[in-house]
Amino acid sequence: MTAVRFIVAFGIVSALMDMVYEGARSVTGPYLGALGASALLVSVVTGAGEAVALVLRLLFGRLADRPALRWSLAISGYALTALSVPLLGISNALWIACLLVLAERLGKAVRSPAKDTMLAEAGSALGQGKAFALHEALDQVGALLGPLLVGAALALTGSYGPGFLLLAIPGLAAMLLLFWLKNKVPDPAAYETVPGQPPAEPATPQADARPGAPPAPPGRAAPLPRQYWIYAAFSSLTMFGYATFGLLSFHLVQAGLLPPALVPVLYAVAMGVDAVAALASGWLFDRVGLKVLVVLPVLAAAVPWLGFSNNTVLAVAGVLVWGAAMGVQESTMRAGVAGLAPAARRGSAYGMFTACYGLAWLAGSFLIGLLYEQSIPALAVTITGVQAVALVIFVVVRPHAGRP
């Protein structure tokens, strides 16, 4: 199987699983609200879910550095998501629903470093930006269809349960395809082998070090470079000031701006914007490098001014801007890590990177939820200030230095 076909097949797996978890994610805010959750609880639970999905990648990223474990991690993580979401359809207790939301995000933490590492290996033959952008675009097909399925079920039944239960079908299909793909490509690292040449020797710490850096001591991996940590600081600040869709959708319903059945439809449209933004930013990344990410704090700063408005048109526009920022964050931001980390440490580099901005997102979600209940203008001003600092780091300190 060629590298492109592998990326496409993995993209289809992700598309099917995106139907599952993005379908659920599209109504998490109003669903928890219907069970009695406050705006603060919705923001904290959805932010904690993202933190679980990101911070625990630090652990699973280290495990993903072991090639023999990558497929096992990917399969078990996808399985946890496929099981957790349909169980929301039979849960009526707020605390159980919150635990299931966190369990679904745990599945993402388990699988993502292994998946990203295998995609990075396949992307060496295609271009990292193109590989992650292509995967993200396919991924977003499911992110479009899942919310529409949930929205249709909600409109027909007036209940969230049937929509969650229907998501068991694409979950099962994703698992079957994933097992087939593992059988076809048991070792994606082979894509990094130059055609016509024997497989490369396993990377040594010295070979992975950046040019000019002192060799790593025997038995120790090469350290992550300074630019990697600057990049992690920029990304963490950006996500600290980034509202979750759970709170945005909660606002849409509680403020009477949209009926519950239309919220997942809007989310599906936002995921379409996400896919376009992912392709555009991935294409630009392969030409100008990390400089393309200068747009991310600008988009994130605009979200609260629009998305938490009491005007329906402005609030809908805010969700679409949120989708564009998510597309850049989920594709190009990940691609940047591959170019800043030694090849032998990509798994742990992805884990450390996502742990940094996952903790920042959790802390930011608590602050955003608290400010939402006190003063929306103060919330918008605070987020704008945070994104301004992130922009200064990006422009002045320049984590993109040395990139094309």
Side-chain angles (χ1 to χ4, degrees):
M1 180 180 287
T2 65
V4 173
R5 289 181 178 177
F6 176 80
I7 293 167
V8 170
F10 224 134
I12 295 172
V13 170
S14 294
L16 288 166
M17 198 60 72
D18 261 39
M19 288 185 67
V20 180
Y21 76 80
E22 297 289 20
R25 197 179 184 192
S26 69
V27 293
T28 297
Y31 171 62
L32 294 179
L35 293 178
S38 65
L40 177 58
L41 181 60
V42 169
S43 185
V44 169
V45 168
T46 53
E50 299 303 335
V52 165
L54 296 168
V55 175
L56 291 183
R57 295 185 201 185
L58 180 60
L59 167 63
F60 294 108
R62 292 184 68 85
L63 293 176
D65 280 340
R66 305 177 185 179
L69 295 180
R70 288 173 191 159
W71 275 117
S72 297
L73 291 169
I75 290 170
S76 57
Y78 277 118
L80 184 55
T81 291
L83 180 63
S84 299
V85 169
L87 289 177
L88 285 169
I90 57 176
S91 170
N92 292 315
L94 177 58
W95 70 273
I96 293 178
C98 290
L99 288 178
L100 289 172
V101 169
L102 297 177
E104 183 278 309
R105 295 285 81 191
L106 174 60
K108 191 168 182 67
V110 173
R111 69 179 178 262
S112 289
K115 177 194 68 177
D116 285 345
T117 301
M118 290 190 285
L119 286 173
E121 289 168 340
S124 64
L126 179 66
Q128 302 292 356
K130 294 187 188 73
F132 280 97
L134 176 59
H135 176 269
E136 178 68 10
L138 290 168
D139 201 60
Q140 293 313 107
V141 173
L144 177 68
L145 297 177
L148 292 178
L149 179 64
V150 171
L154 182 55
L156 290 173
T157 67
S159 172
Y160 292 101
F164 290 133
L165 291 172
L166 279 174
L167 296 175
I169 298 172
L172 177 59
M175 295 306 301
L176 293 175
L177 180 56
L178 189 64
F179 279 109
W180 174 84
L181 186 59
K182 176 184 180 295
N183 184 61
K184 296 290 290 185
V185 187
D187 183 17
Y191 289 121
E192 292 191 312
T193 301
V194 178
Q197 295 185 11
E201 293 296 322
T204 64
Q206 289 84 355
D208 283 332
R210 293 175 67 86
R220 292 184 58 187
L224 295 171
R226 175 175 176 271
Q227 294 303 113
Y228 169 89
W229 293 110
I230 296 173
Y231 183 53
F234 157 74
S235 303
S236 297
L237 267 176
T238 300
M239 299 312 294
F240 179 81
Y242 192 66
T244 66
F245 183 78
L247 186 58
L248 288 168
S249 59
F250 177 90
H251 173 77
L252 288 169
V253 173
Q254 293 297 313
L257 302 179
L258 285 180
L262 283 183
V263 171
V265 176
L266 175 59
Y267 185 78
V269 176
M271 291 299 96
V273 174
D274 179 319
V276 173
L279 285 171
S281 61
W283 183 84
L284 286 172
F285 174 84
D286 286 335
R287 283 154 181 78
V288 303
L290 288 174
K291 299 181 189 71
V292 68
L293 289 176
V294 71
V295 71
L296 189 55
V298 177
L299 292 172
V303 170
W305 295 101
L306 299 170
F308 294 123
S309 167
N310 285 323
N311 178 284
T312 302
V313 174
L314 291 179
V316 167
V319 171
L320 299 183
V321 172
W322 177 91
M326 185 61 71
V328 176
Q329 181 262 323
E330 289 188 333
S331 60
T332 308
M333 187 179 284
R334 287 188 297 156
V337 175
L340 292 173
R345 294 200 62 192
R346 279 193 190 133
S348 55
Y350 275 116
M352 182 71 72
F353 177 74
T354 54
C356 288
Y357 82 73
L359 286 172
W361 205 352
L362 174 59
S365 295
F366 180 82
L367 178 62
I368 289 169
L370 192 62
L371 288 174
Y372 176 88
E373 294 189 337
Q374 301 300 319
S375 170
I376 289 179
L379 164 62
V381 170
T382 300
I383 288 182
T384 301
V386 170
Q387 298 300 341
V389 174
L391 191 59
V392 168
I393 290 177
F394 191 82
V395 174
V396 177
V397 186
R398 303 178 72 229
H400 52 284
R403 296 291 303 176

